[in-house]
Amino acid sequence: MCGIIGYAGKKQAAPLLLDGLKMLEYRGYDSSGIAVFDGGEIKMSKAKGRLENLDVLTDGGKKLGGVIGIGHTRWATHGEPSDINSHPHVSETGRFAVVHNGIIENYLDIREFLTAKGFTFKSQTDTEVVVQLLEYYHKGDIFETIRKTLNKLKGSYALGILAVFEPNKFFAVRKDSPLVIGLGKRENFVASDIPAVLKHTRSFILPDDKDIAVVDGNGVLLYNSNHELVERKRFEVDWDVESAKKNGYPHFMLKEIHEQPKAVEQTIAACIKGGEIAFENVDYSEEYVKKLDKLYIVACGSSYHAGMIGKYFIERNCRIPAEIDLASEFRYRRPILDENTLTVVISQSGETADTIAAMREAKEHSSRVLAIVNVVGSTIAREADDVIITRAGPEMAVATTKGYTTQVLTLQLLGLYLAGKLGRTGGEYAKYLEEIKCLPSAMQEVIDGKEQLQILASKYFGNDKAFFIGRGNDYALALEGALKLKEISYIHAESYAAGELKHGTISLIEQGSLVIACLTGDELYDKTLSNAEEVKTRGALVIALVKRGHTAIEGQAKHVVELPALSDEIMPCVAAVSLQLLAYYIAAARGCDIDKPRNLAKSVTVE
Ligand code: AGP
């Protein structure tokens, strides 16, 4: 996903812009660029490839004077990665420069319209139509110019705009793409995400869609679409800069795996107070919960896998139907929604396009929407009716780890919260409430035992395929384990419900096939043990994840990874750490770009 940044203040802008772009690298990119205004003209430098190329080109930014500037990291959507397709894009006369995150869906129509007006285009990008529209519409009033341009655009955008006739400021505007405004001391910033400017400020404002931000060194003015000055929500960020850095770890992913016990502890502390479960921004009446006849749990990727565990937990403890859906399917299948349906959307980034669309679909059909997100101020966090913020803190690696386990935990806490509203606090309720508090130490124990996973990785990193199997929660765990492995090691890893093997997949099992069998649940242990035996007799090499004390597996598995023994329902967060570490060490042994895997982005803001 692209990243944008903007600066207005008293310091030389270019070095600050470069520094900020480095904190946006985690989003995935293939080129970068910056543009500054030096009082006379717009100066620009951009390059394909890593940010180091831009750094060298501009001598760390020193070659570009000026105290106003915008910058960009590009994740190509229209036009291959190249110098000319990199942002910023400058208008024909050089009066405007633009950086953009998002997609202009009608860019071909606009390109045709402007070409007919005599404009020529240098790049293959959708973004270039924005800067040329500004040129076309400008007759003197910059707000009118920007408004007319925005009215022409269909799609999503977070824009940074430089205009030579506005020498001491720059403009920024968003629609359906993330944008934060950072308020410093005699300097102000915009960025796609908080880490880009966290070094300079902890105070942020979130503009609404189509608010035009006018940013200079003295302050920020926000105008709504009726050109009225508006105030928007200001908030302070309690992260520290270090939490957005590697702190000595070789990769963000390994750091974030190690941060999980603390992230889980913080999530528990935020939601369990005096033995009661309470969420800061969620307060459902007993009457509302009792009237619910269905939950939809909707997400993508790892968030979907977390949702599966939430489904099982909520249905078992609340006896409310909880349907799990991939957001990209949900949004097109005309789901049956009404005021007695609660739609839970899960998204670490809060910016996933399909999940945003699913949320809007639910809201359009009278379903209340509860969002579980990790990024304050994200689009989903702002538009949902109710929001639970997971306490994972900034997650920079594309492969989610602490974002995922804090989602699983939050869904289990939500299940207990709803059960409490339904008066279903008998049975396992009290036990789960107690055991959840053991999660941080149990996860730390798995991390402390990482050497076994390093050894397994050294044995099997050369494999080109792997199967993950499990039942119930272990099936959801197997899905997540397969995704972790495939997305960072590029090994073809697939997951199957263990009971499904005999319906086709077992034909793929041959001598030496690597099968990771997830048997962390007592209830279905024997069933999955039989599946492990099935694949072993056909030549598979089984690595089994079990609770400590299960010895029967030793006859079927080549390797057994023993885990701290908690209730079946509480095991997913514990077992996930093993699979994350296994995937990490295999990818490291294969020399993969672990934090920025090929073709992937930290949040997928396009369909
Ligand atoms: C997880 O490791 C992947 N990077 C990916 O599947 C991710 O979970 C998915 O894109 C959803 O992202 P979100 O949670 O930010 O919506």
Side-chain angles (χ1 to χ4, degrees), residues 59 97 132 198 234 271 320 323 336 469 472:
D59 186 15
Q132 301 298 16
L198 192 57
R234 177 172 178 158
C271 303
I320 301 176
E323 207 167 311
I336 298 154
I469 63 172

Side-chain angles (χ1 to χ4, degrees), residues 102-207:
I103 287 202
I104 306 301
E105 292 167 0
N106 61 333
Y107 84 100
L108 289 174
D109 296 342
I110 298 173
R111 199 178 172 111
E112 198 177 320
F113 166 75
L114 289 172
T115 304
K117 301 287 183 187
F119 282 81
T120 54
F121 287 85
K122 305 182 191 73
S123 78
Q124 303 156 298
T125 66
D126 55 334
T127 304
E128 194 180 354
V129 302
V130 177
V131 77
Q132 301 298 16
L133 273 177
L134 291 167
E135 186 70 53
Y136 172 69
Y137 282 123
H138 191 62
K139 301 290 182 285
D141 177 337
I142 182 69
F143 288 101
E144 190 185 333
T145 302
I146 295 175
R147 289 261 172 260
K148 283 183 174 175
T149 298
L150 300 182
N151 291 340
K152 193 83 175 172
L153 303 180
K154 289 191 184 116
S156 58
Y157 49 78
L159 298 171
I161 302 169
L162 284 184
V164 292
F165 41 81
E166 296 286 357
N168 303 311
K169 62 191 73 163
F170 71 90
F171 302 84
V173 59
R174 69 174 290 256
K175 174 182 166 291
D176 296 341
S177 279
L179 189 71
V180 294
I181 297 172
L183 304 173
K185 289 189 178 56
R186 292 195 304 286
E187 58 184 12
N188 294 294
F189 307 79
V190 299
S192 297
D193 200 357
I194 288 167
V197 296
L198 192 57
K199 184 192 280 187
H200 307 287
T201 180
R202 290 174 181 276
S203 296
F204 291 87
I205 296 177
L206 300 172

Side-chain angles (χ1 to χ4, degrees), residues 455-484:
I455 292 168
L456 289 174
S458 67
K459 287 177 184 297
Y460 300 111
F461 74 92
N463 281 51
D464 60 4
K465 55 178 178 286
F467 298 92
F468 289 72
I469 63 172
R471 291 170 182 258
N473 276 341
D474 279 324
Y475 171 42
L477 180 68
L479 283 165
E480 178 57 13
L483 175 59
K484 283 286 96 48

